[in-house]
Amino acid sequence: MNIAVFGAGYVGLVTAVCLATQGNKVMVVEKDADKLQKLQGGRVTFYEPDVESLLDDAMASGKIAFTNDSAAAVASSELLFLCVGTPALPDGSADLSQVESVMKTILKNLQDLPARIESRGKLVVVKSTVPVGTADRLSRMAALHMHGLGNGSRIDIEVASNPEFLREGAAVHDFLFPDRIVIGVESERGERLLKTLYSSFECPVIVADTRTAEMIKYASNSFLATKISFINMVSDLCDKVQADVAQVAKGMGYDKRIGEQFLKAGIGFGGSCFPKDLQAFASVGRKHHVKVELLEQVIRINQDRPLKLLEKLKDALWVLKGKRLTVLGLTFKPNTDDVRDCPASHVIAGLLREQADVVAYDPVGIANFKAAYPDLSSRIRFADHAYEACERSDGIVLLTEWPSFKDLDWARVASRMDAPFLLDARHFLIEEKLENYGFVRG
Ligand code: UGA
């Protein structure tokens, strides 16, 4: 099928390369000139496993192209994927200006199309995470626009919702081997087009109206985040009564009704999705006068995680002022260079408030951290390697479970520290093993 993808961020680019590898012809429209130039040269602007190699393949087979020519993309494509950002506004609701702007561009370009192309019809597919009712709004925009053109009967344009369920760091896998595909449509034609697109995927396909599809996305992310905050609350209780939260999670997870995933206690969730989507979902609830205290509590528990960690640190190390403390891991999770809303930013801010001397290391996230948090970055040091970051340290705080941290020679780390203290905020390292090297656990 001929597909246009608007927006070459994480979701857009992963969608584009994966659809291209399925044999579709994909044209990616990107406004940012610098990003566009890099992509045209086959370079990916963020760290995500497998994307670059799939991009190479797709470029070699001529299945993908990058452009700023939205008119050409609209003219040649039957499916128009909308993959732009929906960042949070100050009140927590989603900023839909980029979504609206792409839709305007699509509609404007449709004006200029020759009738023979218009008559084939267009399906606008919203992949961006958007509040319930967004597809309806876009449909209304389209209807108004067609009315304005006075040739509404010729242009057949429909808006569908097809939310993504891609984890950063595993996005290509999640796209190619999904647990389910959700198709939100208002017509048989829309359903047929999207079912054809995904015909080679072996997973359940849920066909619903667009509002239900939009709801599935927010509800899924909010539920996963709720599991995390729940186990973090249990973790605080475990600390008080000397129980082992990892074992508790394991014991719960074997119950199929609960499931083992997203029960890892620790520093809490970050990134560009959960914090923003929860706020937006709660804001939708408040708008419709539905009580959303449950979601608000999930958000609050998460926001408290860095503070609880600081309390633990002070409890263990007493005075933090002047102590050299090492932060291992800056990205919000491993296998990504994404530092948006990362727990490390909150922890480092807290350590600086205590006037600690902070040294940080991350395998791939340092450049993005410096760009995203210039004030914090100017007040800490960055090391080129984990060993260097731990040199003469009074304590390590591990914030991201990068696999390479497991492979460190921890005996060597301990021997170079002033005091071998470690707080593993991800319950990731084998703590008994560390104790053998003289580490004291946080
Ligand atoms: C999440 C969802 O998992 C995807 O399905 C969804 O498509 C995506 O948001 C999105 O809306 O675009 P992502 O944010 O990339 O994906 O990463 P997750 O693996 O879900 O982790 C989110 C955060 O929760 C991370 O900070 C992670 O460290 C934390 N987490 C996860 C925990 O603290 N404990 C857990 O048990 C699991």
Side-chain angles (χ1 to χ4, degrees), residues 8 52-53 62 99 121 126 144 156 174 183 210 213 262 290 310 328 398:
E52 201 150 296
S53 65
V99 172
V126 183
L144 273 175
D156 178 12
D174 288 352
I183 290 175
T210 54
F262 283 74
V290 172
L310 283 172
L328 288 185
L398 190 146

Side-chain angles (χ1 to χ4, degrees), residues 196-211:
T196 307
L197 179 71
Y198 291 119
S199 56
S200 62
F201 288 70
E202 284 173 20
C203 68
V205 176
I206 292 131
V207 181
D209 56 62
T210 54
R211 290 165 305 285

Side-chain angles (χ1 to χ4, degrees), residues 164-166 168 217 221 262 264 270 273 332-333 426:
E164 52 86 12
F165 302 99
L166 311 174
E168 286 184 23
K217 166 69 191 200
N221 272 6
F262 283 74
K264 272 195 240 107
C273 305
F332 82 100
K333 61 184 280 189
R426 294 289 185 174

Side-chain angles (χ1 to χ4, degrees), residues 129-130 132 164-165 180 214-230 262 269 273-285 292-299 302:
T129 301
V130 291
V132 179
E164 52 86 12
F165 302 99
R180 78 303 208 180
E214 290 163 341
M215 193 67 155
I216 288 172
K217 166 69 191 200
Y218 268 139
S220 299
N221 272 6
S222 299
F223 187 75
L224 291 170
T226 303
K227 280 185 93 174
I228 299 171
S229 279
F230 178 85
F262 283 74
F269 54 80
C273 305
F274 284 0
K276 163 178 82 75
D277 293 353
L278 249 90
Q279 293 282 7
F281 201 31
S283 142
V284 170
V292 286
E293 282 101 336
L294 174 64
L295 297 177
E296 286 162 353
Q297 198 56 29
V298 169
I299 295 168
N302 197 59

Side-chain angles (χ1 to χ4, degrees), residues 12-257:
L13 192 59
V14 171
T15 301
V17 294
C18 290
L19 289 177
T21 56
Q22 304 280 306
N24 300 290
K25 193 136 198 221
V26 185
M27 203 182 258
V28 183
V29 184
E30 176 54 56
K31 282 198 322 200
D32 182 310
D34 184 45
K35 208 188 239 185
L36 179 62
Q37 200 187 13
K38 285 187 178 132
L39 289 165
Q40 284 170 333
R43 274 181 296 144
V44 177
T45 49
F46 51 85
Y47 179 89
E48 178 67 37
D50 303 325
V51 173
E52 201 150 296
S53 65
L54 287 190
L55 177 60
D56 284 349
D57 296 347
M59 285 182 109
S61 60
K63 290 288 184 197
I64 202 166
F66 296 91
T67 182
N68 56 8
D69 184 352
S70 52
V74 170
S76 64
S77 311
E78 202 171 8
L79 296 175
L80 309 170
F81 275 85
L82 217 146
C83 300
V84 289
T86 53
L89 287 167
D91 68 353
S93 64
D95 177 353
L96 297 171
S97 54
Q98 293 182 57
V99 172
E100 188 194 38
S101 158
V102 172
M103 190 64 181
K104 265 191 198 153
T105 305
I106 291 171
L107 293 172
K108 189 177 160 300
N109 286 319
L110 280 174
Q111 275 183 22
D112 309 326
L113 288 184
R116 122 189 95 75
I117 297 177
E118 285 168 12
S119 64
R120 287 207 322 244
K122 306 281 175 191
L123 185 68
V124 174
V125 186
V126 183
K127 264 225 177 281
S128 306
T129 301
V130 291
V132 179
T134 301
D136 279 348
R137 285 261 173 206
L138 295 174
S139 297
R140 252 189 280 166
M141 262 178 88
L144 273 175
H145 184 89
M146 290 185 314
H147 184 73
L149 283 178
N151 61 355
S153 57
R154 275 204 299 129
I155 303 176
D156 178 12
I157 176 166
E158 186 190 337
V159 181
S161 164
N162 174 216
E164 52 86 12
F165 302 99
L166 311 174
R167 288 162 304 163
E168 286 184 23
V172 167
H173 174 275
D174 288 352
F175 194 100
L176 297 176
F177 306 100
D179 289 340
R180 78 303 208 180
I181 289 170
V182 175
I183 290 175
V185 279
E186 302 296 333
S187 79
E188 275 180 20
R189 179 177 157 268
E191 178 179 341
R192 186 173 26 81
L193 279 172
L194 284 172
K195 275 190 166 166
T196 307
L197 179 71
Y198 291 119
S199 56
S200 62
F201 288 70
E202 284 173 20
C203 68
V205 176
I206 292 131
V207 181
D209 56 62
T210 54
R211 290 165 305 285
T212 305
E214 290 163 341
M215 193 67 155
I216 288 172
K217 166 69 191 200
Y218 268 139
S220 299
N221 272 6
S222 299
F223 187 75
L224 291 170
T226 303
K227 280 185 93 174
I228 299 171
S229 279
F230 178 85
I231 199 67
N232 281 331
M233 178 200 72
V234 172
S235 170
D236 288 345
L237 265 170
C238 283
D239 279 350
K240 298 283 179 208
V241 300
Q242 275 99 50
D244 180 345
V245 69
Q247 292 271 58
V248 173
K250 205 168 167 185
M252 290 169 63
Y254 279 121
D255 185 329
K256 287 194 189 65
R257 295 167 303 171

